[in-house]
Amino acid sequence: MKAASASKTILSSLGLWLFASSSSLVSAFDYNITDAGSLYLIDSKTGISGLKTIFVDDAILVTVEDVTWEYTGLEGGMDIVLYRTLVDGVVQATGNISLADVDRELPTSFDCGSVVVSESGTSTIEVILSVDGQPASTSSDYQVYGAGVSIIPLIWILCMALGTKMVELSLFSGIWLASCIVTGSLAQGFRDTLNVYLVDALSDGGNVSVILFTVFLSGTVGMMQKSGGMLGFTRDIAKIAKTPRTGQLACMTVGIIIFFDDYSNVLLAGETMRPLLDLLCISREKLAFIVDATSAPIASISPISSWVGFEVGLISEQLEIIQGMVEARGETLTIKDSGFAIFLQSIKYRYYPIFMIVLMMLLIGFQRDYGPMLIAERRVRVYDRTDGGPNKGKGGEIEGSGENQPREDQPLLSINMLLPVVILVALIFLALVRSGNDGSGTQTFMEKIEASDSFVALLYGCMGAAWIAMVLYLMQITMPGTGTLVWPTPSVLYDMLPWRSEQVEVQPRFLMSVGESIEAFLFGMSRIFLALIVLTLAWASGDVMSAVGCDRLFAAWISEGVDPRLLPTISFIVSMLMALATGTSWGTMSILFPLILVPTYFSSGGNELIFYSTVAGVLSGSVAGDHMSPISDTTVLSALACDVTLVAHVTTQAPYVLVMVLISIVFGTIPIGYDAWPNMVGIALGWVCSLVFVYVVCVPIISPTGRWDPSFKFCCGRNHDPEFLEQLTNDTIKKYNGEVVEMKEEGDVLNDADELTKEKAETEGGEVEKSDEPSPVEESPAAQDSAEVDA
C-alpha cells in the first residue's frame, strides 16, 4: 500500500512537471522576451494617457504594452527584467522589474520610468527590455512642441468659421492642421485626416448609432409631414389662436410638443405657423425668435430627443476614461456610472434653456419687447401689416420642401402626427426600461432608466414608430378630391383593386401607399445630410484635439490655477463662445467634453455637484452660442423656415440671449459652483429676475406713450433715422388710442429718411396711393384679428 501511494505521488509530480513544461503560462525563469510590444505614454501632471504628442519639459511616464514571451527550455534563468528608456539615444531612465512573485501568468506590460524632452521637433523614445542578457526593444517617434501650440488648431477653427462662414471648411481644415502637427508632415497629416480621424469617427459604434437614430427620426418626421398630420395639427391649434398673444402661444406650444428634434421643431413651427402669425400681424423676426429659442432648448433638455444619443455618447466616452483612472488609483467612483444617468442629473443645472423658455412665456404673456425686436414688432403691429414686415425673406419655402408636402386633397388630420409621436415616446420608454432591467426585481423605475442603453432604445423606438406609422397610414382610405376619409367597406375595398381604376369614376386610395411612405422617409433622411457631415467633422475634430494635446493644456490650466468651483461657469462661457464661432452646438460638445470632463472630475475631488453642473455648462452654453451665431445651422434654418432675413433674425434675437446668459451666470453657474444655495432657489431667483426684466426693461408693444426701452438710445436709436422713430412713436400712440393709422406702401423701407420725406410730401399734396394689401383699419384690432383668422 505504501509503495502504491509512493508511485502515485511520483506520477502526480511527473504529470505536473510535464504540464508546466508544455504550458505557456508558467515560471518566468525559463522564458525570454522576444517582442517588446509598443509604447504607451501617460502625462505625469494630468494623468491623461495614450499620448500622441509631447509637450516640451513635461514629465512623461513610459509604459510598454503587448510584450511577447518565448519559452527557452533553459532552467535557472533570471527572475529580473532590466529596462532602459532612451530619448534620441540618450538614456533617461533605467531600472529592473522583479518577477519573483510571478507564478504562472507572465506580465505583458511594464512601467519603464519617466522622461522629459527639452527641445521641440521630432524625438524618438526607445525602451530596451532584457532578460538573461537577451534584449528586445521598441521605439516610436513623437512630435515635441510647446503646450501653447496645441490650441492653435482650435483657434484656427474659430477664426475660419467667423471669417468664411463655412463650418464644414473650418472644421476640416482644423482637423488637417492638427493632424499635421501630430505627424510633423503635411502629406501624412492629410492622409491621417482621411484614414484615421474621419474613418474612426464613422466606424465608432456609438457614433454610428447616433447617425442611425438621427436619420430614422428625421425619416419618421418626413412621413408625418407627407401624411398631412403636421399641417393638420397646426391648423387645429390655429382654431383657438385669434389674437397675437394666443397666436404666439400656439407657435410656442408647437415647439414644445415637437420636443424630440430641433430640426423638425424649426421646420414644423416655422413653415406651418407663419401664415397664421402673418394674419395676426406678428413680425417675422418674432416668429423666428419663438421658433429658434424653443427648438434647441426643448430638444437639449428632453430625455427623448435626437440630442440624447449624441450627448450620452460623448458623456459615456469620458466616463469610461474616468472609471479607468479611478480604478487605477484604487479609488471609488463618486458619480453615476452610466452616461444616461449623468445626462439626467445634468438637466436641472441647464439654466440657460430653462430661463429662455420661461422668458419666452413672459414676453408672450405680457406682450412686451425691447431693443431691435421692439422696432420689428411695432413696424408690423402698429400698421396692421399682414406680410410679416419689411424684413421678410425673399423666398417662401425652404429649398426642396415642396417635394414632401401632402397632396392638395389630402385629409389634414392631427392624429396622423400625434399618434406616431405617442407611439415613438412609448416605444423608447419601453426599450429604456427593458434594457436597464437587471432582473433583480428591486430596481425603481428611475434606476432602470439610468442603467438603460439609450442607443438601443432610440434606435428601436424610431424604427418601430416608422413601421407603425406606415401601417397607420395604410389603414386609412380617402376618396380623391374630397379631402376626407371613408370607411373601408367591402365596396370601397373592391373599388381599390387595380383593375377597377377604369370602371369607377373616382377610385379610393390609401392615405399614403407603401411607396409614398418610403419616399417620404427617405426625403426626411436626406434633409439632414449636411448636418451629418458637420457632425462627423465635429467627432473627428474632438479626437484630433485630444491627439494634439488640447485636453492636456486645458487640464493643466484647471489643475494648476483654476478654482474647481468656477468650472461650471468657465465651461458655460467657453462653450458659448466656441458655439458662437463655429455655429454648431454639437461640434462644440464634441470638442469640449474630451477636454473638460476628465480634469473636472479629478480637480474637484469627484464632487458630484461640480461635475454635473460642468456637464450642464457645456451643454447649455453650446445652445446659447448657437442662438447668437449667424452661421449656426438651426439659426439659418429658422430664418429660412420663417422667411426672414438672417441678419434681422440674429440682431433681434441676440439681445435676449445675452440677457439670459447673464442671468444664467449670476443666479445659476456661479452659485451652484460655490454651493451658495439649493439649485431650485437659483432657478426661482432666475425666473424672478426674468420677470423683472420683462416688466421693467421691456415695454408694451402698443404703448399709450409710445416710449422705448432704456437701452434703445444707446444701441438701436443710432441705427435708425430720427424722423422715422418719431413717426413710429406717434403712430404707436394713435394705435393705442384706436385712431386710424395708415399702412405704409408695400415694400416701403421705413427707416429710409429720403423715402419718409417723399411720403410726407405726397401726403401733403394729395391722397396717398393705397396699398394693394387690404387695409384693416376700419375695424378694431380684436375684430380684425378675428376676421382675418376666420377668413
Side-chain angles (χ1 to χ4, degrees):
M1 292 293 292
K2 292 181 179 180
S5 177
S7 299
K8 289 181 180 180
T9 302
I10 294 174
L11 290 175
S12 298
S13 301
L14 180 62
L16 290 173
W17 179 80
L18 290 173
F19 175 77
S21 300
S22 62
S23 174
S24 62
L25 300 175
V26 292
S27 172
F29 309 143
D30 47 7
Y31 277 74
N32 273 332
I33 296 174
T34 58
D35 186 351
S38 58
L39 297 181
Y40 188 77
L41 305 186
I42 303 172
D43 184 61
S44 177
K45 184 185 301 182
T46 63
I48 295 176
S49 58
L51 305 187
K52 300 292 190 298
T53 57
I54 298 173
F55 290 165
V56 174
D57 294 331
D58 273 9
I60 303 297
L61 303 178
V62 181
T63 300
V64 290
E65 293 186 328
D66 302 322
V67 175
T68 303
W69 296 81
E70 183 181 44
Y71 179 63
T72 63
L74 302 176
E75 297 182 5
M78 294 180 61
D79 61 353
I80 294 176
V81 176
L82 304 177
Y83 69 82
R84 287 184 298 162
T85 304
L86 303 86
V87 177
D88 296 328
V90 178
V91 177
Q92 286 205 14
T94 60
N96 59 78
I97 303 167
S98 175
L99 302 178
D101 297 331
V102 175
D103 185 15
R104 299 188 54 79
E105 186 171 356
L106 302 178
T108 58
S109 65
F110 298 100
D111 295 331
C112 300
S114 65
V115 299
V116 176
V117 185
S118 302
E119 297 182 0
S120 59
T122 303
S123 290
T124 302
I125 296 181
E126 181 182 13
V127 173
I128 301 175
L129 302 176
S130 62
V131 178
D132 288 336
Q134 300 295 324
S137 65
T138 181
S139 64
S140 185
D141 293 336
Y142 295 91
Q143 298 302 313
V144 184
Y145 43 77
V149 175
S150 64
I151 204 173
I152 291 178
L154 182 58
I155 296 175
W156 172 266
I157 292 175
L158 301 180
C159 294
M160 279 286 291
L162 288 174
T164 65
K165 303 296 188 294
M166 291 184 286
V167 179
E168 297 84 357
L169 176 62
S170 304
L171 287 173
F172 182 83
S173 61
I175 296 169
W176 185 12
L177 174 60
S179 183
C180 291
I181 294 175
V182 172
T183 60
S185 166
L186 284 173
Q188 187 59 42
F190 182 78
R191 287 192 290 268
D192 282 3
T193 297
L194 301 177
N195 300 332
V196 177
Y197 298 108
L198 290 178
V199 170
D200 287 353
L202 289 173
S203 61
D204 181 82
N207 293 351
V208 172
S209 297
V210 172
I211 291 175
L212 289 176
F213 157 66
T214 304
V215 296
F216 289 167
L217 178 58
S218 185
T220 305
V221 172
M223 293 172 62
M224 290 188 282
Q225 181 185 13
K226 182 71 173 178
S227 71
M230 294 173 68
L231 187 56
F233 173 71
T234 303
R235 291 193 175 183
D236 287 345
I237 289 182
K239 294 178 182 179
I240 60 174
K242 304 290 186 179
T243 65
R245 179 182 285 107
T246 56
Q248 293 177 53
L249 185 60
C251 183
M252 184 178 181
T253 302
V254 171
I256 293 176
I257 292 177
I258 311 302
F259 59 87
F260 47 82
D261 181 58
D262 56 336
Y263 289 139
S264 305
N265 192 315
V266 166
L267 292 171
L268 172 64
E271 286 281 356
T272 58
M273 296 299 290
R274 187 179 67 228
L276 172 65
L277 267 62
D278 279 352
L279 289 175
L280 296 174
C281 303
I282 297 171
S283 67
R284 295 286 175 82
E285 292 92 333
K286 190 59 172 290
L287 169 63
F289 176 40
I290 296 173
V291 168
D292 199 3
T294 305
S295 59
I298 287 294
S300 66
I301 63 176
S302 171
I304 302 177
S305 74
S306 56
W307 290 52
V308 173
F310 173 73
E311 293 175 336
V312 170
L314 293 176
I315 296 172
S316 298
E317 290 177 3
Q318 302 311 306
L319 180 61
E320 291 178 4
I321 298 175
I322 293 173
Q323 288 174 321
M325 296 176 66
V326 167
E327 292 176 1
R329 298 182 180 188
E331 300 173 354
T332 302
L333 188 69
T334 59
I335 57 176
K336 298 290 185 180
D337 58 359
S338 77
F340 189 66
I342 294 175
F343 169 85
L344 293 177
Q345 290 293 326
S346 72
I347 291 177
K348 57 189 175 184
Y349 303 115
R350 299 193 205 178
Y351 302 107
Y352 174 78
I354 295 173
F355 292 159
M356 178 56 76
I357 294 171
V358 172
L359 173 69
M360 185 61 63
M361 294 179 179
L362 294 173
L363 291 174
I364 293 174
F366 286 101
Q367 287 294 284
R368 290 169 173 256
D369 279 301
Y370 96 113
M373 186 67 76
L374 182 59
I375 297 179
E377 277 290 88
R378 284 186 174 177
R379 278 179 168 179
V380 176
R381 299 277 285 277
V382 168
Y383 303 107
D384 291 320
R385 298 183 65 152
T386 58
D387 61 352
N391 287 322
K392 64 180 179 179
K394 296 181 179 180
E397 300 290 337
I398 294 178
E399 181 180 0
S401 62
E403 300 176 13
N404 200 48
Q405 295 301 314
R407 300 186 186 187
E408 293 183 1
D409 60 351
Q410 188 92 325
L412 304 179
L413 304 175
S414 58
I415 190 66
N416 288 325
M417 188 204 78
L418 294 176
L419 187 56
V421 169
V422 171
I423 292 173
L424 170 67
V425 174
L427 289 177
I428 291 177
F429 265 110
L430 178 62
L432 286 173
V433 172
R434 290 179 64 88
S435 64
N437 189 354
D438 61 6
S440 64
T442 60
Q443 290 174 289
T444 64
F445 176 78
M446 285 307 302
E447 287 175 341
K448 292 179 181 179
I449 294 294
E450 291 177 354
S452 64
D453 188 337
S454 60
F455 290 142
V456 171
L458 294 168
L459 282 174
Y460 289 176
C462 288
M463 182 52 71
W467 281 103
I468 294 175
M470 184 175 67
V471 174
L472 172 66
Y473 302 148
L474 285 173
M475 294 172 60
Q476 302 175 60
I477 300 173
T478 180
M479 191 69 68
T482 64
T484 58
L485 299 178
V486 296
W487 288 101
T489 61
S491 61
V492 170
L493 295 176
Y494 178 69
D495 288 341
M496 292 179 65
L497 297 175
W499 58 82
R500 292 282 294 169
S501 59
E502 298 180 357
Q503 302 175 20
V504 296
E505 182 177 352
V506 179
Q507 187 177 32
R509 62 174 176 83
F510 295 114
L511 182 72
M512 283 177 61
S513 65
V514 174
E516 289 175 324
S517 293
I518 293 176
E519 288 179 1
F521 188 85
L522 295 176
F523 178 88
M525 294 172 62
S526 65
R527 188 168 54 193
I528 61 167
F529 177 73
L530 292 178
L532 293 179
I533 291 178
V534 174
L535 181 58
T536 302
L537 290 172
W539 279 325
S541 178
D543 291 340
V544 78
M545 289 300 166
S546 295
V548 82
C550 202
D551 54 347
R552 281 176 282 153
L553 180 64
F554 277 84
W557 287 349
I558 293 173
S559 60
E560 290 181 354
V562 177
D563 189 337
R565 294 173 294 184
L566 290 175
L567 291 177
T569 302
I570 293 175
S571 64
F572 177 72
I573 295 175
V574 170
S575 61
M576 179 187 66
L577 295 176
M578 187 176 295
L580 171 63
T582 61
T584 167
S585 53
W586 284 27
T588 299
M589 298 174 198
S590 297
I591 295 172
L592 286 184
F593 270 137
L595 306 181
I596 290 181
L597 290 196
V598 175
T600 294
Y601 179 85
F602 291 102
S603 66
S604 66
N607 186 294
E608 288 183 275
L609 183 63
I610 292 178
F611 185 82
Y612 295 146
S613 55
T614 300
V615 171
V618 174
L619 297 176
S620 57
S622 300
V623 176
D626 194 64
H627 276 166
M628 292 188 290
S629 175
I631 58 175
S632 162
D633 50 0
T634 52
T635 301
V636 174
L637 194 62
S638 298
L640 290 173
C642 300
D643 194 20
V644 64
T645 61
L646 179 61
V647 174
H649 172 44
V650 174
T651 54
T652 53
Q653 177 170 270
Y656 292 106
V657 175
L658 291 174
V659 172
M660 289 301 100
V661 166
L662 181 61
I663 293 176
S664 299
I665 293 174
V666 173
F667 295 100
T669 60
I670 292 179
I672 204 65
Y674 284 87
D675 197 15
W677 51 51
N679 183 57
M680 283 307 302
V681 172
I683 292 177
L685 291 175
W687 288 346
V688 171
C689 187
S690 300
L691 176 61
V692 171
F693 164 74
V694 171
Y695 201 78
V696 174
V697 178
C698 300
V699 299
I701 299 171
I702 306 299
S703 168
T705 61
R707 68 183 179 93
W708 302 95
D709 62 89
S711 65
F712 185 81
K713 66 171 71 175
F714 302 106
C715 54
C716 308
R718 299 179 180 181
N719 299 326
H720 296 279
D721 182 76
E723 294 185 30
F724 155 67
L725 296 177
E726 182 181 357
Q727 179 183 348
L728 186 56
T729 300
N730 295 332
D731 289 345
T732 301
I733 298 173
K734 293 179 181 180
K735 183 68 176 178
Y736 180 84
N737 294 326
E739 298 181 27
V740 174
V741 182
E742 291 288 349
M743 181 184 294
K744 302 302 177 184
E745 285 187 298
E746 185 177 2
D748 182 25
V749 181
L750 296 178
N751 64 339
D752 188 322
D754 295 334
E755 290 293 330
L756 195 59
T757 303
K758 179 180 177 181
E759 184 175 315
K760 284 185 175 181
E762 292 178 353
T763 304
E764 294 174 358
E767 184 179 359
V768 179
E769 182 181 356
K770 296 295 184 182
S771 168
D772 292 335
E773 293 287 345
S775 176
V777 298
E778 299 297 331
E779 303 178 31
S780 66
Q784 176 63 26
D785 291 341
S786 179
E788 288 175 345
V789 173
D790 292 341

